[in-house]
Amino acid sequence: MTTNQTTASRSNGASDDETALVADGVTREFGSVTVVKDVSLTVRRGELHALIGPNGSGKTTLLELLAGIRQPTTGTVRVEAETQPRTIGYLPQRPEFRPSFTALETLTFYASLVDDDPEALLSRVGLSDAANRRVEDLSGGMTRLLALGQALAGDPPIVLLDEPGSGLDPGMRARMIDIARSLAAEGAAVLYSTHDLALAEQHCDRISLVDAGHVVETAPPEALLTDHDTTTLRGVFEGVAGGSDDAVTVLGADR
């Protein structure tokens, strides 16, 4: 049975406990392979929430299910957010844009769909100076920032980011997390996947540990360290990943 994403509109925004997005017993199968297994997860307004787990653990598929890009095989995804032109903004892991368009022309198209200001979007992600540069001439980091601008068009109350800092230099990675933090501070529910454990420990309000398609634990960073009797998220991560050093490339793991 396939169940669709549903929306619960509220005149006063999110529910009293600030819930914005809920996965309830979500499973996703591809043929005989189960990629996401009976996941229940709540994403809250005003929080920066990270998904961490080994490569191939199901993080990208889970984000796609939450964004409504894929439908669950069983279970439900429920949106609890105020009604507006765009409820969920999504940054894919490998964004692509139509070639020959400039950065400004690209965001002008997306902004026109939700009555937003493309120049303001460019400014927010720090690409005003690249407004007239064609998308194929942008660096990988600039392309990812442009994709973030697309995800923010319409000021969605829920923002899902799939490894937003992957492949970025430290300066651009810091800019990306600064934008994510500002979104949460403004009341958005921000969920992102990452392999940068130091970043997650330093900046996130809550972290969900993902392994073999399951969300095995969700808690603030400090609680995870206490529960796993360790002083770093690397210790937590290696416990979840079975102690395998080959399970994932960990950025900032020694911090």
Side-chain angles (χ1 to χ4, degrees), residues 77-99:
V77 174
R78 185 173 73 255
V79 176
E80 298 190 357
E82 60 270 27
T83 301
Q84 55 190 75
R86 190 183 192 191
T87 303
I88 298 177
Y90 174 65
L91 170 65
Q93 190 174 142
R94 297 178 180 85
E96 295 182 358
F97 296 103
R98 182 173 177 173

Side-chain angles (χ1 to χ4, degrees), residues 123-167:
S123 177
R124 178 152 203 181
V125 298
L127 288 180
S128 294
D129 290 343
N132 296 317
R133 192 176 301 183
R134 295 185 185 277
V135 294
E136 60 266 35
D137 296 328
L138 297 175
S139 68
M142 287 181 172
T143 299
R144 194 167 289 272
L145 288 171
L146 182 64
L148 179 59
Q150 171 275 131
L152 300 184
D155 195 24
I158 301 167
V159 180
L160 308 178
L161 310 173
D162 194 357
E163 296 193 25
S166 177

